[in-house]
Amino acid sequence: MPELPEVETIRQDVLPFVRGREIKKVGIIDPRNIKGITPSLFVKKVVGEKIVDLERRAKYLLFKLASGKYLVIHLGMTGRLLFAPDDYVKVIFHLSGKRALYFSDARLFGKIRFYSHYPELKLGPEPLQEDFTVPQFRQMLKQRKIAIKQLLLDQKFISGVGNIYANEALFRAGIHPRRPANSLNDREVKKLYKAIKQILFEAIKYRGTSDSWYVDAKGKKGGFQFRLKVYGRKDEPCFGCKSKVQRIVLGQRGTYFCPKCQK
DNA sequence: ACCTAAACCTGGGCGC
DNA sequence: TGCGCCCAGGTTTAGG
């Protein structure tokens, strides 16, 4: 599933491919990913626009247009942005210079929207941004008693972290996923803060996790799936202590942890 | 304000 | 080989 590192990898690859190019034509194979306006109005609005930049906010890709408007894509679970089509293409963006960008989405959880201004996305802080600090994180955790794992998945609390990296960060910090957020002491808050940043930076470095669906714009898998310590490893031995990795359901999400290493 | 759970979807994996 | 069943999950929505 594309989380912050996967979306950032795509952003970096796609930016030089689209920058300065005009959207000449849009082919809609399946209109169901287009949200907020009718597909025909969407096409009318984006055709003729020039892409000047590609930004990322949490798991969203924001195509900045020369008019100051934005084409915003969220990849959901199985969304892809590709330089060549695959079996699940839903929307094709034909660009100047005879290029095309393919939006593919097998399960239709992805969303494509058009905004006349910079979109208000109602998201919590970006964990990799420098203005996200330990004191701020401590303050945020203090007032919440929900399980820490569930809180990390709340995009209004902290944005960009999804199920894979929430599990991995908690393992790295040695914190049990069921712990109430406000029960973490100062040492644990600091450890978790560091773990989140480290995991995300490393996953970007390895071009994301290709657990099931994720591939980059060239259709290539990432490399971080080989470095996962707990996610998807139910009943397999913990790399640290050899105990069996456990799987529980927390807030409707599969949750993996080592019962011995995570307290 | 806070929390829980269903709904949205369909390919892939499993059992038979 | 093929059928039916169930699971995966990011976000939104509804409800308590």
Side-chain angles (χ1 to χ4, degrees):
Chain A
M1 313 75 237
E3 304 180 25
L4 188 155
E6 291 75 27
V7 177
E8 178 60 21
T9 301
I10 291 170
R11 188 195 70 80
Q12 289 173 13
D13 287 355
V14 170
L15 174 57
F17 186 85
V18 300
R19 182 163 41 196
R21 307 214 171 252
E22 185 189 327
I23 301 171
K24 303 289 266 187
K25 205 173 102 181
V26 178
I28 310 246
I29 313 301
D30 187 322
R32 286 179 289 175
N33 290 104
I34 295 170
K35 306 293 178 182
I37 52 173
T38 63
S40 58
L41 188 56
F42 172 80
V43 172
K44 201 174 139 191
K45 282 183 183 284
V46 298
V47 168
E49 288 277 4
K50 191 171 125 185
I51 300 167
V52 294
D53 200 4
L54 178 54
E55 303 169 14
R56 180 188 59 74
R57 175 75 177 96
K59 304 173 191 172
Y60 291 85
L61 286 164
L62 287 67
F63 291 80
K64 187 180 186 183
L65 307 170
S67 61
K69 297 171 183 177
Y70 286 85
L71 169 60
V72 176
I73 296 182
H74 192 292
L75 297 171
M77 289 177 50
T78 58
R80 294 170 171 170
L81 271 186
L82 301 166
F83 299 147
D86 67 3
D87 292 344
Y88 314 102
V89 170
K90 309 298 180 198
V91 179
I92 308 169
F93 296 95
H94 297 275
L95 308 175
S96 53
K98 295 194 173 164
R99 294 184 174 193
L101 191 62
Y102 299 86
F103 173 81
S104 151
D105 189 8
R107 287 185 198 165
L108 295 167
F109 274 33
K111 293 177 170 64
I112 303 178
R113 286 179 188 270
F114 183 84
Y115 291 88
S116 298
H117 302 284
Y118 189 87
E120 285 187 37
L121 294 171
K122 294 179 207 158
L123 295 165
E126 287 276 336
L128 295 188
Q129 215 143 29
E130 298 206 354
D131 56 5
F132 176 63
T133 62
V134 173
Q136 180 190 3
F137 190 43
R138 185 187 302 123
Q139 187 60 34
M140 289 160 62
L141 290 168
K142 214 158 107 182
Q143 38 210 332
R144 308 294 295 267
K145 54 184 180 193
I146 192 176
I148 183 65
K149 161 72 176 358
Q150 285 177 261
L151 196 53
L152 293 180
L153 291 182
D154 181 351
Q155 300 299 298
K156 291 191 282 302
F157 179 78
I158 187 169
S159 64
V161 177
N163 203 29
I164 295 173
Y165 300 113
N167 280 295
E168 292 297 312
L170 285 168
F171 173 77
R172 188 169 292 204
I175 296 168
H176 195 291
R178 270 207 237 265
R179 286 276 301 282
N182 60 6
S183 76
L184 272 59
N185 62 33
D186 277 10
R187 199 184 105 260
E188 291 171 325
V189 170
K190 212 172 199 169
K191 272 182 103 173
L192 181 56
Y193 172 90
K194 274 186 85 171
I196 292 168
K197 287 208 167 201
Q198 279 178 1
I199 287 282
L200 295 176
F201 274 124
E202 278 179 37
I204 292 170
K205 184 172 141 201
Y206 285 93
R207 301 183 57 79
T209 301
S210 290
D211 178 51
S212 53
W213 285 87
Y214 171 71
V215 293
D216 66 18
K218 297 181 196 105
K220 286 211 159 74
K221 290 187 174 189
F224 202 72
Q225 62 275 19
F226 303 115
R227 312 188 81 79
L228 297 174
K229 300 288 194 283
V230 285
Y231 183 80
R233 298 194 61 245
K234 177 175 149 71
D235 293 337
E236 290 176 43
C238 169
F239 294 127
C241 73
K242 309 295 175 207
S243 309
K244 274 189 179 181
V245 171
Q246 286 195 9
R247 180 186 190 276
I248 57 173
V249 175
L250 214 45
Q252 302 174 301
R253 293 285 168 273
T255 300
Y256 301 86
F257 68 102
C258 170
K260 203 173 161 195
C261 297
Q262 294 175 253
K263 299 296 179 192

